[in-house]
Amino acid sequence: MADKFDVIVIGAGPGGYVAAIRAAQLGLKTACVEKWIGKDGKTSHGGTCLNVGCIPSKALLEASHKFVEAKHDFDDMGIQAGDVSMDVEKMMARKDTIVKNLTGGIAGLFKANGVTAIDGTGKVTGDKQVEVTDPDGKATTYEADNIVVAAGSVPVDIPPTPLTEDLIVDSTGALEFQEAPKRLGVIGAGVIGLELGSVWSRLGSEVTVLEAMDDFLPMVDGTIAKETQKLLKKQGLDIKLGARVTGSEVKGSEVVVQYADAKGEQEVTFDKLIVCVGRKPYTQGVIGDGVGVELDERGFISVDDRCHTSVPNVYAIGDCVRGPMLAHKASEEGIMVADIIAGHKAEMNYDAIPSVIYTFPEVAWVGMTEQDAKAAGIEVKTGAFPFAASGRAMANNATEGQAKVITDAETDRILGMHIVGQHAGEMIAQGVIAMEFGSSAEDLALSCYAHPTMSEAVHEAALAVEGHAIHMANRKKRK
Ligand code: FAD
Ligand code: AMP
């Protein structure tokens, strides 16, 4: 038997590495096991998020957005940039450098906080035992009073579109294209599909998104989803709803995709196809036989609201457990679990987890949609403010979108905030904090917002709940 630890974390994604750092900060002897091998052939920390998720996708989204701005928007502002072109190879190299710096940074944080990094594949073999098989195949068993499983998730693949070397790829493959394909198909109009579709559309691909559901972004407030769909369509994304992909065939350097929609069987040919139909928990081989950690019917590790599994002192967090598959949700669970292990009281507010789609403009939301609240029998009031009426949005050349606040009609408590607009992902933090503090729309309305800022739209939306917006004509009668 090798070293004994207070805590062993399996997986160094945003769930696992945060849990490990927090546990070590709280004085617990902590190790974190990671098996990811980076492009340099060495162990890479940071999980999906830093290696092939949040960060590389945002590096490409930002670069491709700046390209579009330089090409199409600078002229409006009186800037003549001449012939603007995109060097995709350089854009990719920049993305890889960011990934390398950040993943390498986690190893530095582990060192600084006294976390022992163990390279290899971890397996829970007992309620206090983790076996690690190192990259050379050597197995070592470690003892730990507490185990945190943070094994994350992997892309879902579907039988109609088996992945190929480079024609039919998942989100990871779509972060590695060396040029913009002429005709690009994306299966799934979820967050990842829209982000990756946007990147390549901006760089010149004709993008068709095939989405099985009839509704566009059903998790987003209806008004905001509708406006987002309109804006993405205007940018050239051909989003086909009610289009279920049923088959595909690789023909030379092309891929022919069959799908079924209301009109019947259809066929479309692409130069590349990205399959973005969701992610599934990654639990394969992580829990040894007979340990007793239960999975639910969808393959997630079953946990309660404090991330306890069915085995005492074994916890599970992040994408491998229920709840939204988001890096910040994983990290918050990591902090909560480390606090609990250290003997502190800790809990999470699952009702106030924000989501962001990093298209342009961004879409961000927290809490209930108007349709959810109504379906739950809650009488609501809403206030919305368009960025077209915002001075800062005009100055920024970003007048598309709106901010919307949803409140309980009886108490004025904020139930949700939904925004489509430039920097919506930054602005939504106001909604999160407001909800954490149980604020009313009046609390936001009475707060003093800096002028001129995009956030003033949130202030105006809060004022509009009672028909008191200043910078637009209110639809509701003032009291
Ligand atoms: P992961 O990040 O998946 O990390 C799990 C780690 O565990 C991995 O490093 C894996 O190698 C390791 N592991 C698994 N099994 C073992 C084992 N047996 N032994 C050792 N190590 C093991 N989320 C956001 O919040 N914002 C975004 O903008 C965003 N963009 C995304 C874009 C893309 C293209 C993708 C694919 C995802 C995106 N996500 C985003 C989702 C986000 O990446 C995940 O929600 C997040 O990474 C989950 O964190 P995690 O720690 O639970 O798991
Ligand atoms: P998300 O889970 O948010 O990443 O989104 C994945 C999307 O893919 C969902 O909106 C699904 O409806 C969609 N999807 C799943 N399978 C198919 C399919 N065979 N054809 C088209 N869309 C699909």
Side-chain angles (χ1 to χ4, degrees):
M1 186 82 71
D3 290 356
K4 183 175 182 298
F5 292 93
D6 295 323
V7 186
I8 293 186
V9 182
I10 299 180
Y17 81 72
V18 169
I21 290 173
R22 176 69 152 221
Q25 284 172 350
L26 296 173
L28 299 165
K29 187 179 176 198
T30 306
C32 187
V33 188
E34 178 54 63
K35 69 180 181 121
W36 196 295
I37 302 295
K39 284 185 178 173
D40 59 2
K42 296 187 186 136
T43 301
S44 182
H45 297 109
T48 304
C49 170
L50 298 193
N51 287 287
V52 295
C54 319
I55 297 300
S57 60
K58 266 79 253 180
L60 300 187
L61 279 155
E62 193 61 32
S64 58
H65 175 61
K66 285 202 155 60
F67 173 60
V68 169
E69 272 193 322
K71 216 167 160 185
H72 301 294
D73 302 342
F74 276 14
D75 192 50
D76 287 351
M77 296 184 168
I79 305 167
Q80 263 87 53
D83 268 350
V84 179
S85 60
M86 191 79 210
D87 181 340
V88 175
E89 206 179 313
K90 200 163 175 183
M91 179 182 78
M92 289 295 175
R94 170 182 176 268
K95 174 217 32 148
D96 289 343
T97 304
I98 295 168
V99 168
K100 197 165 175 10
N101 289 342
L102 283 171
T103 53
I106 304 295
L109 289 174
F110 277 173
K111 219 174 197 170
N113 286 282
V115 174
T116 303
I118 302 177
D119 296 350
T121 303
K123 183 180 193 171
V124 184
T125 46
D127 62 348
K128 289 184 191 272
Q129 261 183 23
V130 175
E131 181 191 88
V132 179
T133 306
D134 75 12
D136 298 324
K138 185 173 165 272
T140 308
T141 297
Y142 297 87
E143 233 186 288
D145 287 335
N146 301 276
I147 298 168
V148 181
V149 180
S153 63
V154 289
V156 167
D157 42 21
I158 49 172
T161 53
L163 301 189
T164 68
E165 183 91 337
D166 66 344
L167 278 184
I168 306 179
V169 299
D170 58 16
S171 60
T172 303
L175 295 170
E176 298 295 337
F177 292 162
Q178 290 307 310
E179 58 179 6
K182 187 166 177 324
R183 297 160 302 175
L184 174 65
V186 178
I187 310 180
V191 176
I192 297 174
L194 294 176
E195 290 187 357
L196 293 172
S198 291
V199 166
W200 294 107
S201 158
R202 292 167 186 173
L203 299 180
S205 299
E206 287 162 23
V207 176
T208 305
V209 183
L210 301 169
E211 167 54 55
M213 285 190 299
D214 293 324
D215 287 344
F216 182 66
L217 296 178
M219 63 293 202
V220 180
D221 187 85
T223 324
I224 303 294
K226 216 172 190 175
E227 179 149 13
T228 305
Q229 190 181 358
K230 209 172 70 195
L231 292 172
L232 294 178
K233 189 174 171 200
K234 204 169 105 190
Q235 290 170 19
L237 253 63
D238 180 7
I239 301 168
K240 295 190 192 302
L241 299 177
R244 173 170 294 279
V245 172
T246 53
S248 66
E249 208 180 325
V250 172
K251 286 189 177 164
S253 60
E254 297 180 331
V255 45
V256 180
V257 173
Q258 289 91 33
Y259 65 94
D261 65 10
K263 290 188 201 128
E265 291 297 322
Q266 315 284 344
E267 211 168 74
V268 56
T269 302
F270 300 116
D271 298 300
K272 288 217 193 278
L273 179 66
I274 316 176
V275 182
C276 290
V277 295
R279 296 181 63 81
K280 59 183 179 191
Y282 181 73
T283 52
Q284 211 183 348
V286 183
I287 312 288
D289 293 339
V291 176
V293 172
E294 284 166 16
L295 304 188
D296 70 15
E297 63 290 350
R298 293 184 304 153
F300 291 93
I301 296 175
S302 296
V303 288
D304 65 9
D305 58 1
R306 303 287 204 284
C307 292
H308 297 100
T309 68
S310 45
V311 174
N313 305 319
V314 179
Y315 300 78
I317 59 172
D319 279 12
C320 65
V321 305
R322 77 316 168 242
M325 286 183 161
L326 292 167
H328 43 281
K329 174 263 191 184
S331 299
E332 285 303 302
E333 286 180 335
I335 288 176
M336 172 176 74
V337 158
D339 284 355
I340 292 170
I341 292 171
H344 301 298
K345 255 181 136 180
E347 61 181 7
M348 248 182 89
N349 179 1
Y350 284 95
D351 292 332
I353 298 173
S355 295
V356 183
I357 311 178
Y358 294 84
T359 45
F360 190 88
E362 290 174 356
V363 187
W365 67 97
V366 59
M368 288 179 135
T369 62
E370 186 177 347
Q371 64 266 22
D372 286 345
K374 284 182 174 163
I378 304 169
E379 203 187 317
V380 297
K381 282 189 175 176
T382 66
F385 188 81
F387 287 104
S390 150
R392 182 59 194 268
M394 283 180 216
N396 288 5
N397 209 16
T399 51
E400 290 167 330
Q402 60 178 294
K404 178 171 173 180
V405 174
I406 297 142
T407 64
D408 184 317
E410 202 180 318
T411 62
D412 194 39
R413 192 182 175 123
I414 296 172
L415 300 174
M417 186 182 287
H418 296 249
I419 308 172
V420 52
Q422 186 190 43
H423 307 317
E426 306 290 338
M427 284 185 272
I428 203 64
Q430 298 169 57
V432 175
I433 293 166
M435 286 183 64
E436 276 290 338
F437 283 81
S439 307
S440 61
E442 189 185 25
D443 290 324
L444 289 189
L446 290 173
S447 301
C448 185
Y449 279 69
H451 174 76
T453 54
M454 295 295 280
S455 292
E456 285 171 300
V458 172
H459 188 213
E460 291 276 2
L463 282 160
V465 170
E466 290 300 337
H468 291 158
I470 301 294
H471 292 92
M472 67 170 189
N474 289 280
R475 280 207 200 123
K476 294 179 191 102
K477 229 174 142 192
R478 270 172 290 156
K479 284 183 188 158

